[in-house]
Amino acid sequence: MRILVTGGLGFIGSHTVVELLENNYEVVVIDNLYNSNLSVIDKIHKITGKEFSFYENDVCDEDALETIFSENKIDAVIHFAGYKAVGESVQKPIMYYENNLVSTLHLCKKMIEHNCFNLIFSSSATVYGNPEVLPITEECVVGGTTNPYGTTKLMIERILKDICISDNRFHVIALRYFNPIGAHESGLIGEVPNGIPNNLMPYIVRVASGELEILSVFGNDYDTPDGTGVRDYIHVVDLARGHLKALEKINDLQGIHYYNLGTGVGYSVLDLVRAFEEVNGVSVPYKIVERREGDIASCYADPTKALQELGWKAEKTLEDMMRDSYQFILEEKNRE
Ligand code: WQD
């Protein structure tokens, strides 16, 4: 099977391309390099020993999509491409709505023109907003998103549902990621945020490596065991493998189906700091500051449905996530 991976040089995209190649899929990647780098192509080759087709284009560009679908018989699409920085989305809503929605609409139009109806969409646990119940199941109410980024994910899920209602040839799987962290065990690919990291894990690794001075812990007065925010951190390789499980099942599933990709275990900010220090034998100095606007206290998945219907379960441990995250940043610094 030949899979088109949009945003395939990005953090989750690149790890998924590695898993696809290692499982003998043919891969075509489109990426505009807004949040990735051409060097990832060679790193993927080093890991897998395999080649794939790459198009440096924007998914909003219909002519580029026409070229890709005309030159390649695409059997399924995994759609990662999109802007994903929560804080940036609050500052630049038009950029986020235009890019994330238009790219998806153009992609779906092109898929129909070329008789390709299998789509796996990179969704997010943010579609649940501030969860009313925990752990979160796919039957939980969606909505109440607190930023344009999360709202684009919610809107795209709705768009894809309407497309499936209008055209029963479509098979769509929306994978709702919890908090992806970690890196490939080779140390060659991982998370490389633009500028100062907004997310916790990239910040911790940069404090530990001496690049940043101290971690600010956004509040310790939440209704959680130690007062700091609790999240469901999932190793990016486990997440990537979830996409392959979805690919294996997509032909059996008509219409749109939603799956939480999380471990089902919540860890606090201070849990992560402690685990990171223990696993890597380093110190992560931190200070407690005020809460970050828009943050919720706790969010973690009930991943039962993905196990029952896709046969997928996260296997990597918190220690794996801590070790692989740090190894990647150290190897990146050596490559500079
Ligand atoms: C985790 C915890 C913070 C940074 C975001 C996106 C979500 C998804 C995953 C794409 C929270 C605390 C953080 C810091 C801190 N991305 N924190 N100091 O906000 O759960 O989710 O990434 O789908 O869409 O919203 O992740 O890593 O930013 O925060 O104390 O410097 O760490 O308060 O409790 P979040 P995060």
Side-chain angles (χ1 to χ4, degrees):
M1 280 179 79
R2 183 176 289 117
I3 313 300
L4 171 62
V5 182
T6 75
L9 298 189
F11 174 39
I12 304 169
S14 58
H15 287 81
T16 303
V17 168
V18 165
E19 296 299 319
L20 287 168
L21 293 171
E22 290 186 339
N23 284 272
N24 299 315
Y25 287 93
E26 290 182 69
V27 175
V28 177
V29 169
I30 177 173
D31 198 308
N32 65 1
L33 305 182
Y34 177 83
N35 211 1
S36 52
N37 189 297
L38 276 177
S39 65
V40 173
I41 294 174
D42 185 47
K43 291 170 180 174
I44 292 173
H45 178 66
K46 280 202 178 99
I47 294 169
T48 64
K50 297 193 174 174
E51 308 288 343
F52 59 93
S53 305
F54 173 65
Y55 293 79
E56 185 178 343
N57 289 114
D58 192 313
V59 183
C60 291
D61 180 345
E62 292 186 276
D63 292 339
L65 290 175
E66 176 56 33
T67 299
I68 291 171
F69 278 87
S70 300
E71 292 179 356
N72 304 275
K73 172 73 179 74
I74 303 295
D75 298 298
V77 179
I78 303 180
H79 181 32
F80 292 106
Y83 298 149
K84 64 163 189 172
V86 169
E88 185 182 50
S89 78
V90 175
Q91 306 306 321
K92 302 176 180 175
I94 295 173
M95 181 178 116
Y96 269 69
Y97 285 116
E98 181 176 41
N99 181 69
N100 291 7
L101 300 187
V102 170
S103 58
T104 304
L105 291 169
H106 286 178
L107 175 65
C108 290
K109 275 168 56 180
K110 200 51 68 182
M111 286 176 71
I112 292 169
E113 288 169 21
H114 288 266
N115 291 309
C116 174
F117 300 101
N118 293 328
L119 174 62
I120 294 171
F121 170 58
S122 167
S123 191
S124 168
T126 42
V127 302
Y128 295 112
N130 192 350
E132 291 166 2
V133 295
L134 289 170
I136 301 173
T137 70
E138 291 83 354
E139 284 63 50
C140 285
V141 172
V142 296
T145 46
T146 56
N147 56 76
Y149 158 77
T151 306
T152 67
K153 293 298 186 182
L154 193 62
M155 287 178 163
I156 292 168
E157 284 194 0
R158 178 73 232 197
I159 288 167
L160 295 175
K161 181 178 180 181
D162 288 342
I163 290 173
C164 289
I165 291 168
S166 75
D167 186 337
N168 63 14
R169 294 173 295 179
F170 265 94
H171 305 250
V172 176
I173 290 180
L175 298 176
R176 293 170 174 168
Y177 309 156
F178 280 70
N179 287 55
I181 63 171
H184 191 267
E185 61 188 11
S186 64
L188 287 169
I189 55 176
E191 187 171 11
V192 185
N194 287 331
I196 299 286
N198 294 308
N199 293 136
L200 177 63
M201 204 57 223
Y203 209 106
I204 286 179
V205 295
R206 280 161 180 77
V207 170
S209 67
E211 186 181 329
L212 295 172
E213 185 193 347
I214 188 167
L215 170 70
S216 297
V217 175
F218 297 147
N220 67 345
D221 58 350
Y222 286 101
D223 181 15
T224 62
D226 65 15
T228 64
V230 170
R231 298 291 184 274
D232 184 331
Y233 297 94
I234 176 170
H235 198 293
V236 63
V237 172
D238 276 329
L239 197 65
R241 289 170 179 164
H243 292 72
L244 272 73
K245 288 292 189 184
L247 264 183
E248 289 167 17
K249 298 287 185 189
I250 195 160
N251 276 315
D252 307 335
L253 299 168
Q254 186 135 33
I256 187 167
H257 297 263
Y258 312 91
Y259 296 95
N260 289 340
L261 293 193
T263 65
V265 179
Y267 288 106
S268 75
V269 175
L270 296 183
D271 288 335
L272 250 66
V273 170
R274 264 190 295 276
F276 191 90
E277 291 180 326
E278 279 169 29
V279 166
N280 295 305
V282 294
S283 161
V284 179
Y286 68 86
K287 60 183 177 183
I288 305 293
V289 299
E290 68 284 351
R291 294 181 175 191
R292 177 173 65 178
E293 186 65 31
D295 269 357
I296 58 178
S298 294
C299 176
Y300 50 93
D302 175 340
T304 306
K305 186 181 176 190
L307 178 59
Q308 287 175 340
E309 296 186 15
L310 302 181
W312 174 87
K313 185 175 183 338
E315 293 170 350
K316 289 188 177 280
T317 65
L318 184 68
E319 289 69 29
D320 294 330
M321 298 181 220
M322 299 299 106
R323 182 190 62 248
D324 294 344
S325 299
Y326 196 41
Q327 176 184 289
F328 171 68
I329 194 85
L330 294 180
E331 307 234 350
E332 274 290 274
K333 288 174 84 74
N334 289 337
R335 286 190 282 264
E336 282 169 0

